[in-house]
Amino acid sequence: MKTKVITDVDSLYIALEALFAWADRVDMCFAWVNSGQGKGRHWQTMQLGKVGRAVIGTAFAQTEPSALEVLDKKPDRLRLMINSEGTFHPKVISGRKGNRAKAIVGSANFTTAAYTSNTELCVLLDGSTDDSELDALQTFIDEQWMLGTRLSPTWLEQYRQVWESARRKKITVPGAKLEISSISSLSMSWEAYVSLIDAQHERPLADGNKVRVFGEHPSYLYELDEAERIFRDQPKFAAISRPDRQFLMGMGRSSGFIGTMRAAGFAKNIVYESPDAVGAALDRVPLDGPVSRGLIEDVIGKLTELKGVKIGVVSRLLAVKRPDLFVSVNNGSKPQLARLIGGKRVDTVGQYLALLDHVWSTEWYTAGEPKDSREVTIWRRRAALLDSALYEQV
């Protein structure tokens, strides 16, 4: 029997893709499964018709209800592990073709994060169905199958409510960023979002620096407060002083939180030498009140028509002008933000608008203005402050 150690998510995905392409039948036994709203690459690679038995755990409401519905469409293909001695925690997928067998076993669940962003360690086994190790894995899956429970519509409806509640709570350990695996990662209550932002303050970064949300310069709130002062003192972008325009670009005296244009050559020149071209679009976004979707699309479209002005530059300017509406797309947040729209980098106007739509539809974003003064400070900057929870050192 041949073995191969898999230490990165791309190799893990390639092994999964090859397993499904090769096998006549695939059985799986996982603690948790999700589909990434049907967009996860592991889910799209799965050849559902080849799946014979799937034994899936439900501990801590981590398994996605819609994934269970899909697996259950074929009779006698899905079993749930609802009650077990301790936490049901296996991760194995096994394929067979004739008298040959292959299996991937290790730390990876059948989830979007496991195949895109997690640190996983797995082993690929390749041999005969008579090999003791592969036979033992198949026996294990068969035994768990016998212990499992069939899915019922009543149970699924109750589970879905628990799952949605668990998504809203979003417990985040202090000093840890929000780990994004799919759109559902942003689902949380306003209270959970406040706790998330609080947990980012003093979060250590890889270079030894720290994320600072509150307090004096450098911090996210200082950055946003100073930007608001600049825009209120001089509503016309072209009339803002050069040092203040530098700050709005994330340069000069700026901390660089919420993105920076230091590497944006042409964009810097336009903002420096032709601020009227930027102002013609940016000045249309009011500092307060509602902004129509049509206006937002038009402003972003006009700004990205300027030479060298891309989504990163546009999102920085919009986020510091209206931090209640706009999210910054920068090198530190791009890897996480990409997972919200199916793994694509947020580079185009359409992708950025799709990102905003996801954010604007969340429970925490649509929550009304809170009464607590400290929470009001966060609420009025809630879209831009998401960057603090997503940013990772690059």
Side-chain angles (χ1 to χ4, degrees):
M1 183 181 67
K2 296 186 291 185
T3 62
K4 178 182 178 181
V5 176
I6 302 173
T7 60
D8 65 275
V9 293
D10 288 333
S11 296
L12 179 61
Y13 170 72
I14 291 170
L16 177 73
E17 186 178 41
L19 177 65
F20 271 108
W22 170 83
D24 290 330
R25 172 183 168 127
V26 175
D27 293 332
M28 59 175 67
C29 189
F30 288 103
W32 302 310
V33 168
N34 70 43
S35 70
Q37 304 291 318
K39 296 181 180 180
R41 64 175 181 172
H42 69 300
W43 194 256
Q44 294 182 341
T45 290
M46 177 179 62
Q47 296 184 36
L48 199 58
K50 291 185 176 182
V51 178
R53 288 180 169 179
V55 187
I56 308 301
T58 59
F60 312 115
Q62 292 295 304
T63 289
E64 180 187 304
S66 58
L68 295 177
E69 284 185 295
V70 172
L71 288 170
D72 196 51
K73 285 182 178 179
K74 179 182 176 181
D76 217 31
R77 179 168 58 193
L78 174 67
R79 290 287 186 275
L80 304 175
M81 195 59 68
I82 299 173
N83 297 299
S84 62
E85 188 71 25
T87 301
F88 185 73
H89 215 236
K91 295 100 175 173
V92 57
I93 183 165
S94 175
R96 294 197 171 201
K97 184 175 184 177
N99 65 350
R100 302 295 298 173
K102 296 181 181 181
I104 302 171
V105 59
S107 66
N109 275 298
F110 203 64
T111 63
T112 303
Y115 284 85
T116 59
S117 59
N118 283 1
T119 300
E120 306 284 4
L121 180 62
C122 297
V123 177
L124 172 65
L125 308 178
D126 183 350
S128 166
T129 54
D130 294 329
D131 286 331
S132 59
E133 293 87 353
L134 286 163
D135 182 61
L137 286 177
Q138 190 61 47
T139 298
F140 174 81
I141 294 174
D142 292 342
E143 289 174 347
Q144 302 311 306
W145 174 265
M146 296 301 293
L147 296 171
T149 303
R150 294 176 184 271
L151 179 68
S152 75
T154 301
W155 180 90
L156 182 61
E157 182 57 33
Q158 293 173 343
Y159 176 75
R160 191 186 304 277
Q161 294 175 15
V162 174
W163 180 81
E164 290 174 350
S165 176
R167 302 283 74 70
R168 291 195 297 270
K169 289 180 181 177
K170 277 290 181 292
I171 298 172
T172 304
V173 176
K177 67 179 185 296
L178 174 65
E179 293 289 354
I180 293 291
S181 61
S182 67
I183 297 169
S184 64
S185 299
L186 281 188
S187 299
M188 68 186 88
S189 66
W190 169 249
E191 292 76 16
Y193 185 72
V194 172
S195 296
L196 171 68
I197 299 303
D198 283 342
Q200 304 313 307
H201 189 59
E202 301 291 339
R203 172 165 66 87
L205 299 171
D207 63 357
N209 291 319
K210 293 181 179 181
V211 171
R212 294 192 72 251
V213 179
F214 309 103
E216 296 300 316
H217 178 75
S219 74
Y220 274 86
L221 287 185
Y222 175 87
E223 194 86 0
L224 294 172
D225 287 347
E226 180 67 0
E228 181 180 12
R229 182 197 64 77
I230 292 170
F231 279 119
R232 290 200 183 278
D233 285 351
Q234 182 45 262
K236 298 293 184 182
F237 186 80
I240 294 173
S241 69
R242 183 175 174 124
D244 281 350
R245 290 203 307 272
Q246 276 189 310
F247 180 88
L248 296 176
M249 294 165 59
M251 299 173 61
R253 68 183 190 279
S254 165
S255 63
F257 286 136
I258 320 174
T260 175
M261 300 183 200
R262 290 187 178 92
F266 282 116
K268 285 190 293 187
N269 290 335
I270 289 175
V271 175
Y272 285 157
E273 308 302 333
S274 305
D276 54 322
V278 175
L282 190 62
D283 291 349
R284 297 174 62 196
V285 178
L287 286 173
D288 303 288
V291 183
S292 71
R293 172 62 180 265
L295 176 61
I296 289 172
E297 289 183 25
D298 193 43
V299 167
I300 295 174
K302 289 291 192 295
L303 287 172
T304 52
E305 288 175 1
L306 301 174
K307 185 176 180 180
V309 177
K310 299 181 180 180
I311 287 298
V313 172
V314 172
S315 67
R316 161 72 194 196
L317 290 172
L318 289 172
V320 294
K321 185 166 190 183
R322 284 299 298 268
D324 59 326
L325 289 174
F326 297 103
V327 179
S328 170
V329 176
N330 51 71
N331 289 336
S333 66
K334 268 189 176 183
Q336 294 260 76
L337 292 174
R339 295 169 202 140
L340 291 174
I341 57 171
K344 302 172 184 175
R345 291 177 65 84
V346 186
D347 290 324
T348 69
V349 173
Q351 289 166 344
Y352 184 59
L353 289 171
L355 166 65
L356 294 179
D357 286 337
H358 292 323
V359 171
W360 294 340
S361 66
T362 59
E363 181 181 347
W364 60 267
Y365 185 85
T366 57
E369 183 173 350
K371 295 180 179 179
D372 179 80
S373 60
R374 182 175 180 278
E375 289 190 15
V376 169
T377 298
I378 296 173
W379 186 82
R380 291 178 177 172
R381 300 158 179 80
R382 60 196 185 281
L385 285 178
L386 182 62
D387 185 77
S388 71
L390 302 181
Y391 184 84
E392 49 195 21
Q393 194 67 41
V394 293

